[in-house]
Amino acid sequence: MLVLGKTFGEETILTTRASTRQDSVDRHVALWERELPWMDPLHEQVVARLMLLTKHLARSREAAFADDDLGRASFKVLLALRRLGSPYTAQPSELAEQLGLSRGALSARLSPLEEDGLIRRTTDPDDRRKVHVTLTRAGKRAFDRHGQHEGRDEAALLDTLSVADQRRLSDLLRTLVLAVEESSG
């Protein structure tokens, strides 16, 4: 159904709606539209929906961390090692740089992971001054379990859209991300 929207400036905004159902954002914008004649309702709808979805995904990720008994900081270390590919090994200085941490802060993160058997620290046999941090099988399983948990939650949200709509949404969001990346130099 085609709905004639509000006249904003010189333009008349036309919108199409697949359904007549309203969400909380529609109600929010309808209330503010009366009070804020300078507000662009379409911009507000897009931004408010992005913010609502961001909050939903953040809550979902926090719940996954709690369910998996894996903190965000620990997961980031496992992620950094996993991203390297097999044999999932790096020197602490490399990990600290990837994670934006001091070596002391990284060491504090590595100790509990080592105690839990998720990583292993070994001394380089050719240079005893060098230490290697390696993702263990248990660490790889913990990473995979958490990643799959997050993936299920994301799929539950995105699978409400067709594959074509998911691709279209991804393309539109890429355009916005590129605009942000290019403007921040």
Side-chain angles (χ1 to χ4, degrees):
M1 152 168 78
L2 185 64
V3 178
L4 180 58
K6 175 182 177 174
T7 300
F8 186 79
E10 297 288 323
E11 296 179 35
T12 299
I13 299 168
L14 298 177
T15 59
T16 59
R17 296 208 180 171
S19 137
T20 57
R21 293 177 54 199
Q22 287 196 338
D23 63 12
S24 61
V25 173
D26 291 318
R27 293 184 294 277
H28 159 81
V29 170
L31 290 170
W32 282 111
E33 226 174 353
R34 292 188 301 258
E35 293 296 319
L36 306 174
W38 47 262
M39 180 186 76
D40 183 331
L42 184 57
H43 290 176
E44 183 66 16
Q45 288 170 341
V46 170
V47 171
R49 286 188 176 106
L50 287 171
M51 292 175 69
L52 188 141
L53 292 171
T54 298
K55 286 179 188 176
H56 169 78
L57 290 170
R59 282 191 304 267
S60 174
R61 286 193 171 184
E62 289 306 317
F65 283 125
D67 290 350
D68 296 338
D69 197 30
L70 185 65
R72 178 188 311 274
S74 296
F75 179 74
K76 285 186 174 186
V77 173
L78 301 181
L79 173 75
L81 287 167
R82 184 67 190 274
R83 188 181 305 146
L84 295 171
S86 187
Y88 313 114
T89 300
Q91 292 182 356
S93 59
E94 295 167 336
L95 278 178
E97 185 176 326
Q98 281 184 40
L99 296 168
L101 299 171
S102 69
R103 290 181 188 180
L106 176 68
S107 183
R109 288 189 185 184
L110 294 179
S111 294
L113 290 170
E114 188 172 33
E115 290 169 14
D116 292 342
L118 302 178
I119 61 143
R120 180 177 54 255
R121 288 190 261 199
T122 56
T123 304
D124 188 311
D126 298 325
D127 185 348
R128 302 204 36 83
R129 295 172 297 173
K130 290 184 182 177
V131 173
H132 297 283
V133 179
T134 304
L135 186 65
T136 64
R137 285 188 181 147
K140 187 175 179 293
R141 282 193 305 270
F143 174 87
D144 288 345
R145 187 173 45 254
H146 181 78
Q148 290 168 2
H149 189 159
E150 281 189 10
R152 281 190 306 272
D153 292 347
E154 292 164 0
L157 172 64
L158 293 172
D159 286 348
T160 61
L161 300 174
S162 69
V163 172
D165 284 345
Q166 289 179 43
R167 284 191 183 108
R168 191 167 30 258
L169 177 60
S170 179
D171 290 343
L172 292 168
L173 292 172
R174 178 184 305 107
T175 300
L176 294 176
V177 168
L178 287 169
V180 168
E181 290 175 347
E182 291 166 2
S183 71
S184 59

